Amino acid sequence: MKFLKWLQIALLSGAVCSAQRDIPLEQATVLDLQAAFSAGTLSSEKLIELSLARIAAYDKQGPTLNAVIKLNPGALALARELDRERAVSGPRSLLHGIPIVLKDNFDTYDLPTTGGSPVFNEIPPEHDAFVVARLREAGAIILAKVNMSGFMGTRQGVGDSMAGGQTLNPYNLAHHPGGSSGGTAVAVAAWFATGGLGTETGVSIRDPSSNNAVVGIAATEGLISRTGVLPLSFVHDRAGPMARTVTDAAAMLTVVSGIDPTDLYTLESAGHIPAGGYTGYLDDTALQGARIGVLVDLFSTGSAHAEGLAIIDRALEDLSKEGAYLIRPLTLGVDLRSILRWSRSTSLETKFALDAYFRARGPNSPVKSLAEYIEAGKYYPESKANLERAMAIESLDRLPSFASLMTNRRILRDMVEELMERYQLDAIVYPMKTFPAARIPDGPGGEMRPPSADNPFSSITGLPAIVVPAGFDSNGLPVALEFLGKRFSEPTLIGLAYAYEQKTKHRRIPPTTPALAGEIIRIP
């Protein structure tokens, strides 16, 4: 098995290293890094040293991005061990020796999991989250836990927590990084690590990915386990990879997807995961002849959206230039924004999801229930109303509204898939949002964003979506295009997103985190 994995890596790497190249670290994909490892021009130990140097230069100094909550003190020692293993038996996977960061709501047995709250600062959970265990088994190096929007509410709007403070957007330090996986997006955008994991209940993978010009995959509901992840919802919560390239995101998705007996949602993925993983679908010709619907229901209006809409219009032109057949205007024929507002059950489920998580965290958990968390008092005052509303729900069984929300959600998903069948679509596209990251306000309360600033379409339907950088506005802030497909159509979406990425190359270096000395990867 290990030989077959190594053969796959060698074949993939061979496609990118037919001649000697010097690649800037921020442009190097996992394929490039594995090729350099194999050639002996780079080691995992050196790669971790480069990542730690960037964190030292830019996280608490320089632009003070403030993305990292806790570094893994054993990362360098593990890198040396993985280098020795590679020399003896080859790599375990494309993530062997690769640094990964985790949003600080993924359980790790060796590092605290704060969820943005100081109540959890010192006591690690007893076990890794299911996906974290898979990353470790694949040879990935958990480099750090990174900041997230405060659990159940924030003081400054988005991207801050009591455990980590305010994280800044590396493209414009006056603006927030997005929530709630803002720390992951910033750490990846600033090259602190090759990739990271985020989570979303609404838009929390896709929003910070859009704000920081990284690729985010919100996978089909049930493709990735949520076991060991601090939850808000049984229904809407999803975990997913965030990376600078579609290549790296696909490599991460290959590792973290799969059936988890303790998360029954993942049984839905049986028979839908490609045997060879997702990197085999990286096809720069995938747009040629693709049928893509442009869902006008999710295009915003108003002057606040004008720049973002212009960027998305150019993205649609690029899709056409690369051979895609655009079906537009495409509409579900309903008031989609209103339906989205009435299809979210998060506030009803939170108490029950959290109580189950706290019990599973083990006897050393500082709190055993949401009631105990509230009593501990270590949260922003702005969170209190949300917490009290959650506590007031006595039983989901006695809430007709919960059943109605589930019905709305299922009907909407079926409508989307029927629309795609009717027009024989490979994907639907629309803006993730057309209002870039808002400014960080000077005082509490956050900055008011215009209506329709965010788009929970994917999370409410449970359908897979990938966001890819589409350009920058006049303030240097990124805007993203979103591809959405039918359930378990990740291979198709990865191909389309990769082709768009390769043909447009919109991502650029954050101006606040330039290259440091020695960040050139040589591939003979």
Side-chain angles (χ1 to χ4, degrees), residues 457-475:
F457 187 51
S458 171
S459 59
I460 287 176
T461 59
L463 296 173
I466 301 180
V467 295
V468 185
F472 294 81
D473 74 358
S474 56
N475 292 315

Side-chain angles (χ1 to χ4, degrees), residues 40 44 103 122 134 142 175 194 223 287 321 325 371 397 451:
S44 295
K103 180 180 179 180
E122 299 302 326
R134 290 187 73 111
I142 307 304
H175 292 250
T194 302
L223 186 65
L287 286 170
K321 288 177 183 177
Y325 180 65
D397 294 339

Side-chain angles (χ1 to χ4, degrees), residues 268-334:
E268 294 281 348
S269 68
H272 294 290
I273 300 175
Y278 292 95
T279 53
Y281 297 91
L282 300 170
D283 178 6
D284 63 4
T285 67
L287 286 170
Q288 297 176 16
R291 293 178 59 84
I292 298 176
V294 181
L295 190 63
V296 295
D297 302 340
L298 294 175
F299 281 66
S300 301
T301 59
S303 58
H305 299 278
E307 271 198 279
L309 287 169
I311 292 169
I312 295 300
D313 284 342
R314 290 193 292 273
L316 297 178
E317 292 175 6
D318 289 334
L319 295 178
S320 293
K321 288 177 183 177
E322 294 305 320
Y325 180 65
L326 300 186
I327 294 85
R328 60 176 174 179
L330 189 71
T331 178
L332 286 166
V334 296

Side-chain angles (χ1 to χ4, degrees), residues 18-349:
S18 56
Q20 178 172 303
R21 297 187 302 153
D22 288 344
I23 304 176
L25 176 63
E26 73 95 16
Q27 295 178 13
T29 69
V30 290
L31 302 184
D32 300 317
L33 295 172
Q34 292 297 341
F37 290 154
S38 299
T41 57
L42 180 68
S43 66
S44 295
E45 180 180 7
K46 178 62 176 176
L47 183 59
I48 296 299
E49 288 175 346
L50 292 173
S51 292
L52 292 174
R54 293 194 65 79
I55 292 170
Y58 297 131
D59 193 61
K60 300 299 187 284
Q61 300 183 64
T64 61
L65 297 178
N66 199 37
V68 175
I69 288 181
K70 182 74 171 179
L71 284 170
N72 180 0
L76 271 173
L78 177 58
R80 287 190 286 269
E81 180 181 329
L82 288 167
D83 283 334
R84 289 191 292 268
E85 180 183 321
R86 175 190 299 278
V88 173
S89 54
R92 304 180 195 178
S93 77
L94 284 173
L95 298 187
H96 187 110
I98 300 296
I100 301 294
V101 296
L102 302 175
K103 180 180 179 180
D104 205 11
N105 61 345
F106 286 89
D107 283 354
T108 45
Y109 74 87
D110 53 352
L111 296 168
T113 299
T114 72
S117 170
V119 75
F120 301 111
N121 266 0
E122 299 302 326
I123 304 174
E126 289 193 340
H127 307 287
D128 279 340
F130 182 84
V131 292
V132 174
R134 290 187 73 111
L135 286 169
R136 294 195 207 258
E137 290 166 4
I141 298 171
I142 307 304
L143 182 63
K145 306 292 283 292
V146 292
N147 200 20
M148 56 182 284
S149 296
F151 174 57
M152 294 293 285
T154 68
R155 181 180 298 275
Q156 297 289 357
V158 185
D160 68 301
S161 73
M162 288 186 75
Q166 176 69 59
T167 300
L168 307 182
N169 189 310
Y171 286 95
N172 188 322
L173 300 176
H175 292 250
H176 67 65
S180 59
S181 307
T184 305
V186 169
V188 170
W191 337 334
F192 293 173
T194 302
L197 283 184
T199 63
E200 71 173 29
T201 307
V203 297
S204 295
I205 292 171
R206 295 169 296 122
D207 176 53
S209 294
S210 175
N211 286 352
N212 294 275
V214 301
V215 175
I217 299 181
T220 303
E221 170 184 286
L223 186 65
I224 300 173
S225 167
R226 290 93 42 90
T227 299
V229 181
L230 183 70
L232 288 177
S233 165
F234 291 119
V235 174
H236 297 292
D237 281 357
R238 293 187 291 181
M242 301 164 71
R244 288 188 297 278
T245 65
V246 177
T247 298
D248 295 347
M252 289 186 65
L253 184 63
T254 297
V255 170
V256 299
S257 59
I259 295 173
D260 170 13
T262 61
D263 183 352
L264 296 182
Y265 259 26
T266 62
L267 294 176
E268 294 281 348
S269 68
H272 294 290
I273 300 175
Y278 292 95
T279 53
Y281 297 91
L282 300 170
D283 178 6
D284 63 4
T285 67
L287 286 170
Q288 297 176 16
R291 293 178 59 84
I292 298 176
V294 181
L295 190 63
V296 295
D297 302 340
L298 294 175
F299 281 66
S300 301
T301 59
S303 58
H305 299 278
E307 271 198 279
L309 287 169
I311 292 169
I312 295 300
D313 284 342
R314 290 193 292 273
L316 297 178
E317 292 175 6
D318 289 334
L319 295 178
S320 293
K321 288 177 183 177
E322 294 305 320
Y325 180 65
L326 300 186
I327 294 85
R328 60 176 174 179
L330 189 71
T331 178
L332 286 166
V334 296
D335 183 355
L336 185 54
R337 298 283 187 185
S338 294
I339 291 175
L340 293 177
R341 284 195 296 273
W342 289 102
S343 302
R344 303 181 73 164
S345 58
T346 305
S347 61
L348 305 179
E349 303 173 71

Side-chain angles (χ1 to χ4, degrees), residues 292 319 427-429 464-466 468 481-485 493 496-497 500:
I292 298 176
L319 295 178
I428 290 172
V429 295
I466 301 180
V468 185
L481 183 68
E482 183 165 324
F483 293 82
L484 178 135
L493 296 180
L496 297 174
Y500 174 74

